[in-house]
Amino acid sequence: MKYKNTGALICAMLFMLCSCGEDFLYKAPQGSADQDALTNAQGAEMLITTAYATFTAPDWGASIFNWTFGGIYGGDANKGSDSNDQAVLNSMETYALLNTNSYINEKWNWVYKGSKRVAWALQVLENVQDMDENLMNTRKAELYFLRALFYFEGVKVFGPYIPYLDESITDNDPKAYNDKDIYPNILADIDKAIAGLPDRPAELGRTYVWAAKALKAKILMQQGKMSDAKPILAEVLNDGNTASGKKYALADNLTDNWNSFTDNTSPESIFEIQFSSDGNDHGNIGMSLCYPHNSGPGGCCGFYQPSYDLANSFQVDNNGLPYLNGEYRTMPSVSVLQPDGGTVTLPDGKTIALSINNATVAVDPRLDFAIGRINIPYKDYGPALNWVRDYTNGGIFLPKKHVYTQAEADAGLARSGMSAGWAPGSAMNIQYLSVRDIMLLYAECLANDGQLSEAMDWVNTIRERAALPENIIRFDDGTPAANYKISTYPSSHAAFTDKNTCIKAIRMERKLELAMEGQRWFDLVRWGGDYMAAAITDYLNYEKQYIGKFNGVTPLSAARTMFPVPLTQIQTMGKDANGQDYLVQPAPWK
């Protein structure tokens, strides 16, 4: 169920509302949707599709990928681009955020837009008479899943004290307080989804029971309820199947999870956000800024550049294992910019920056899968060239996972003007829920319960996949593009006997495996405010050695595990009859 038909569906909705006749005074206004006209099976399906289409929101702050909130704020990446473009993000990457920031307002609006669309569809379904009862129950369960996901995204960013509005509220301008923890409401919704969803969806793109169970486990993990999440995670891994019926497993080739040609086919795909190349600018506009600049793939706009800290996290020791105590921060960088920032012109006329890759440093091969490095093969484009917009502002690394290949572009699945008619985009789906994520969450639960050997088995499963030959980046002559080295943890390693070391290994594995996937900040918060604050402090102290704008930045306090409520929302909601604000700013942001 690709969302490419959303525009057509909305037009059809409006067409249904326009009719000829003498009772023109009673016609619904054009451009608005009359609920009575939609109270039938066709109208309900349109509304449900529109609820799904919320995932394809055009606002960068509303992106389901969370490249700003999860990626930049978590230290996976900095803003990139130059200091003037989207300057609103300058305060986010330097942890000087204000409640007037437009990106947080876009996210807030997205949460409640999705919630409203779900509520409207549920209200209509209650009065539909021409839909099969079993199908209706399935559609309701889909909507409960969507609402749980929308609000989960809300609490990940703003914390659990935000208003919860459901189908019982019919006001166009509802007034609600943010004085209650809404996790119970979210879990109630996901439980109703689990109870009503099928083992496999009738159409790819719709949700199903295993996606709902995986989402419930993630919600519980974010809430800190590991013991409740653990059996669900185990069930998903042991008994679950993809939307197309495959048993869950890791794909041998990492690129199968980031390629339009393999959308909805990877055995580790649990729930994918669908994008299309139908010519109507549906190419993931929420990430349209996040492509290499200049003559690189997409050609715009140079945002979301991987950090030095992330890139160097991929360094490994003599045994092919990661450094668990930050030792990589004391070593030479995997890549550096030539001191004078110069460039060189190749015989074919192409100009590249003299970014020097340290060939003596041993690195995990996932470094060059997740991160673009100049002079290292970049997907099927050959070695990456001078595609960085401003080295002084963004560093020398390039985003890579979500960037389309030349083959996708040649097949009409991507182009430079696919998003909003001017920005890069592609038909590549985004895996919102994945097996790699669930495996490592389950490993955390095992480690928490002292089952260290079992936990490390899951970590080693992830590392074994990364070491497969198809995941080694090579030059045209077949030689590895860097000094790649990766091993599994031997049973003699301290991670198998010491709980703290085991947890460190799992957390590092999540940083490496889920790099640049918009997850990092939410993990840091999940591991506790003190842990988050220390991690961000270490990140800033390291990053400022390479990028001057991080000098003098004040790290986050341990209390700020959420973003502020947008000021415009507080002002719009207003005050009650007693002069009390409906929306109150969390204490750490007052």
Side-chain angles (χ1 to χ4, degrees):
M1 191 186 72
K2 291 277 190 177
Y3 305 135
K4 62 183 180 181
N5 295 320
T6 304
L9 287 170
I10 293 174
C11 289
M13 289 166 63
L14 297 178
F15 178 78
M16 290 170 60
L17 303 179
C18 300
S19 61
C20 298
E22 56 189 0
D23 295 327
F24 66 92
L25 291 176
Y26 302 99
K27 261 198 324 190
Q30 292 190 25
S32 67
D34 184 277
Q35 186 157 313
D36 290 339
L38 296 170
T39 307
N40 51 64
Q42 182 185 15
E45 292 285 16
M46 291 176 176
L47 290 172
I48 294 164
T49 299
T50 300
Y52 272 102
T54 307
F55 291 135
T56 64
D59 297 321
W60 298 308
S63 169
I64 190 72
F65 194 73
N66 287 310
W67 61 277
T68 55
F69 301 107
I72 292 175
Y73 217 62
D76 262 9
N78 58 72
K79 186 193 84 169
S81 181
D82 59 46
S83 60
N84 295 318
D85 197 357
Q86 289 297 303
V88 65
L89 285 178
N90 296 345
S91 62
M92 184 176 290
E93 68 175 344
T94 56
Y95 303 97
L97 194 73
L98 300 176
N99 60 12
T100 54
N101 188 285
S102 62
Y103 275 63
I104 62 172
N105 194 54
E106 288 171 5
K107 192 67 171 184
W108 185 282
N109 282 335
W110 179 88
V111 171
Y112 289 98
K113 180 187 292 183
S115 169
K116 178 61 178 177
R117 288 177 173 181
V118 167
W120 190 12
L122 286 170
Q123 289 163 356
V124 166
L125 280 172
E126 284 302 314
N127 297 299
V128 168
Q129 302 295 320
D130 61 339
M131 181 180 282
D132 175 80
E133 183 178 358
N134 290 330
L135 178 60
M136 181 180 291
N137 289 335
T138 297
R139 292 292 186 260
K140 286 181 178 179
E142 290 179 43
L143 290 165
Y144 294 133
F145 171 89
L146 293 177
R147 184 162 64 199
L149 194 159
F150 295 142
Y151 279 119
F152 179 50
E153 283 292 300
V155 300
K156 281 164 58 180
V157 174
F158 299 106
Y161 288 87
I162 61 175
Y164 176 85
L165 306 173
D166 62 17
E167 68 274 18
S168 68
I169 298 172
T170 58
D171 294 343
N172 286 328
D173 184 22
K175 301 299 182 183
Y177 299 93
N178 63 333
D179 59 347
K180 293 182 176 63
D181 181 344
I182 70 166
Y183 265 121
N185 305 89
I186 298 173
L187 289 168
D189 272 338
I190 202 64
D191 282 340
K192 287 187 284 189
I194 290 170
L197 287 171
D199 186 68
R200 289 176 57 186
E203 299 170 280
L204 292 177
R206 292 189 186 276
T207 190
Y208 61 114
V209 71
W210 294 109
K213 289 183 177 182
L215 179 59
K216 181 177 182 180
K218 284 207 51 127
I219 293 168
L220 290 167
M221 290 294 289
Q222 199 68 33
Q223 196 179 9
K225 295 186 174 181
M226 299 178 73
S227 60
D228 291 339
K230 184 180 178 182
I232 304 173
L233 292 165
E235 182 187 9
V236 170
L237 291 172
N238 293 329
D239 303 326
N241 54 256
T242 69
S244 58
K246 295 180 182 178
K247 180 175 174 54
Y248 287 140
L250 294 178
D252 287 345
N253 195 321
L254 286 162
T255 61
D256 286 352
N257 300 309
W258 301 92
N259 194 304
S260 303
F261 294 116
T262 50
D263 282 348
N264 299 309
T265 65
S266 170
E268 66 187 277
S269 170
I270 298 178
F271 184 68
E272 295 187 15
I273 307 303
Q274 308 289 309
F275 294 98
S276 69
S277 57
D278 64 344
N280 291 322
D281 298 335
H282 291 141
N284 194 356
I285 191 172
M287 295 192 71
S288 59
L289 298 179
C290 306
Y291 291 80
H293 204 55
N294 301 328
S295 60
C300 182
C301 294
F303 285 73
Y304 200 41
Q305 287 185 244
S307 65
Y308 280 89
D309 185 79
L310 177 63
N312 284 291
S313 296
F314 288 91
Q315 293 193 41
V316 296
D317 63 19
N318 292 332
N319 297 312
L321 298 175
Y323 294 104
L324 302 183
N325 297 303
E327 296 93 338
Y328 63 86
R329 296 190 178 110
T330 66
M331 300 174 179
S333 177
V334 295
S335 303
V336 293
L337 183 66
Q338 180 178 299
D340 63 3
T343 61
V344 63
T345 301
L346 301 179
D348 61 3
K350 293 179 179 177
T351 299
I352 61 173
L354 289 181
S355 174
I356 303 169
N357 301 313
N358 192 334
T360 66
V361 176
V363 294
D364 186 315
R366 287 173 293 183
L367 164 64
D368 291 323
F369 172 73
I371 295 174
R373 292 196 289 163
I374 295 172
N375 301 327
I376 298 290
Y378 191 98
K379 298 198 172 185
D380 59 352
Y381 294 95
L385 303 177
N386 184 13
W387 300 336
V388 173
R389 188 165 175 175
D390 182 350
Y391 293 103
T392 62
N393 189 66
I396 60 176
F397 302 108
L398 300 160
K400 193 171 184 180
K401 278 186 178 179
H402 68 274
V403 178
Y404 58 80
T405 62
Q406 184 63 58
E408 288 171 277
D410 291 343
L413 297 171
R415 63 179 184 275
S416 60
M418 184 176 282
S419 292
W422 65 270
S426 79
M428 186 192 302
N429 291 351
I430 296 295
Q431 290 181 8
Y432 182 79
L433 298 169
S434 69
V435 169
R436 58 190 176 276
D437 183 8
I438 296 300
M439 283 182 173
L440 291 171
L441 289 177
Y442 185 48
E444 283 190 48
C445 293
L446 290 166
N448 185 62
D449 288 345
Q451 296 170 266
L452 308 186
S453 179
E454 294 95 324
M456 292 307 298
D457 284 345
W458 286 106
V459 171
N460 280 339
T461 296
I462 296 285
R463 296 182 65 78
E464 286 171 354
R465 188 268 294 275
L468 293 175
E470 49 264 63
N471 296 317
I472 304 299
I473 306 296
R474 300 179 184 276
F475 290 114
D476 288 342
D477 63 3
T479 60
N483 181 18
Y484 298 125
K485 190 172 188 177
I486 182 171
S487 303
T488 57
Y489 287 85
S491 58
S492 59
H493 194 279
F496 282 79
T497 54
D498 179 72
K499 183 175 180 178
N500 288 335
T501 304
C502 183
I503 291 173
K504 283 183 180 180
I506 296 167
R507 290 177 176 177
M508 175 57 84
E509 204 62 32
R510 285 187 67 80
K511 183 179 184 180
L512 302 177
E513 180 68 17
L514 303 178
M516 297 296 287
E517 295 188 23
Q519 177 63 40
R520 181 66 176 165
W521 161 254
F522 307 119
D523 275 345
L524 295 179
V525 167
R526 188 165 57 79
W527 296 329
D530 289 337
Y531 185 95
M532 175 276 293
I536 295 300
T537 298
D538 289 344
Y539 157 69
L540 289 170
N541 286 337
Y542 183 72
E543 206 71 11
K544 69 184 182 183
Q545 299 177 61
Y546 299 98
I547 302 179
K549 65 184 175 186
F550 291 109
N551 280 299
V553 171
T554 301
L556 275 172
S557 73
R560 289 191 169 183
T561 56
M562 80 299 288
F563 284 77
V565 175
L567 178 61
T568 186
Q569 300 298 332
I570 295 175
Q571 294 171 334
T572 299
M573 189 68 78
K575 301 178 183 292
D576 63 17
N578 298 317
Q580 172 65 45
D581 287 324
Y582 282 102
L583 298 180
V584 178
Q585 197 65 261
W589 287 96
K590 287 183 177 178

